[in-house]
């Protein structure tokens, strides 16, 4: 069994793409996944799955969400081990109050990474590590131009962002399913 954390992009934000967590939990369980739990209403689902094919699991979740709620929502998956590695590799230690992680669905190419502008939103900083982008946003997420839309456009892959507290809480929740 694999423990996954599904990170849904853009649900229950600003009154749009409304998805009740109880209903979402039922949809995920309806796909045959076990130990399903949600965390806060922003689209975080922890579950265990017999299948280790991440792309297929994500595609099945996206299709089930579209069927159940009529919404095309990107789903980014991380295993418990991957998420724990993210939490253990914070390049902005000591500044966690303003740290976020943008999770990418795919690994960006070197050419795509070269399109990123490190000075785009000074004093904001970012560090890319594989499929994860650590962000230090001193003025907060609402003030930066290092948005999830920017990274999706530049890197050509779906993405979603979580604050540091949520990342750590999801590590704890997914540990219980292992």
């Amino acid at each position: 069994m694999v423990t996954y954390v599904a990170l849904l992009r853009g649900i229950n934000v600003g009154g749009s793409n409304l998805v009740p967590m109880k209903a979402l939990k039922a949809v995920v369980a309806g796909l045959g996944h076990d130990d399903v739990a949600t965390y806060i209403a922003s689209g975080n689902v922890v579950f265990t799955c017999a299948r280790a094919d991440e792309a297929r699991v994500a595609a099945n979740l996206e299709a089930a969400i579209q069927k159940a709620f009529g919404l095309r929502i990107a789903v980014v998956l991380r295993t418990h081990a991957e998420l724990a590695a993210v939490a253990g590799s914070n390049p902005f230690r000591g500044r966690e109050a303003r740290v976020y992680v943008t999770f990418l669905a795919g690994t960006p190419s070197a050419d795509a990474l070269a399109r990123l502008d490190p000075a785009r939103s000074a004093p904001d900083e970012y560090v890319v590590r594989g499929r994860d982008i650590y962000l230090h946003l001193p003025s907060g997420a609402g003030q930066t131009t290092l948005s999830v839309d920017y990274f999706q456009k530049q890197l050509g892959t779906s993405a979603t962002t979580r604050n540091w507290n949520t990342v750590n809480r999801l590590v704890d929740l997914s540990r219980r399913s292992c």
Side-chain angles (χ1 to χ4, degrees), residues 120-122 124-125 135-137 139-148:
R120 175 180 173 87
S121 191
D124 299 336
E125 305 169 79
L135 300 145
H136 178 248
L137 309 176
S139 298
Q143 303 301 313
T144 188
T145 59
L146 294 174
S147 67
V148 70

Side-chain angles (χ1 to χ4, degrees), residues 80-154:
H80 164 74
E82 290 170 329
L83 201 60
V86 166
S89 299
N90 179 5
F92 301 113
R93 289 197 197 289
R95 300 186 273 175
E96 284 84 355
R98 297 296 182 163
V99 172
Y100 300 79
V101 180
T102 296
F103 296 94
L104 307 173
T107 303
S109 68
D111 288 341
L113 289 170
R115 290 192 294 268
L116 296 177
D117 178 7
R120 175 180 173 87
S121 191
D124 299 336
E125 305 169 79
Y126 67 87
V127 174
V128 180
R129 292 191 175 151
R131 298 186 304 157
D132 308 304
I133 303 172
Y134 296 83
L135 300 145
H136 178 248
L137 309 176
S139 298
Q143 303 301 313
T144 188
T145 59
L146 294 174
S147 67
V148 70
D149 291 333
Y150 168 73
F151 287 116
Q152 282 188 151
K153 181 178 179 183
Q154 297 303 313

Side-chain angles (χ1 to χ4, degrees), residues 162-173:
R162 299 295 185 273
N163 68 42
W164 193 246
N165 288 336
T166 297
V167 170
N168 283 288
R169 184 67 179 124
L170 291 171
V171 170
D172 290 342
L173 285 172

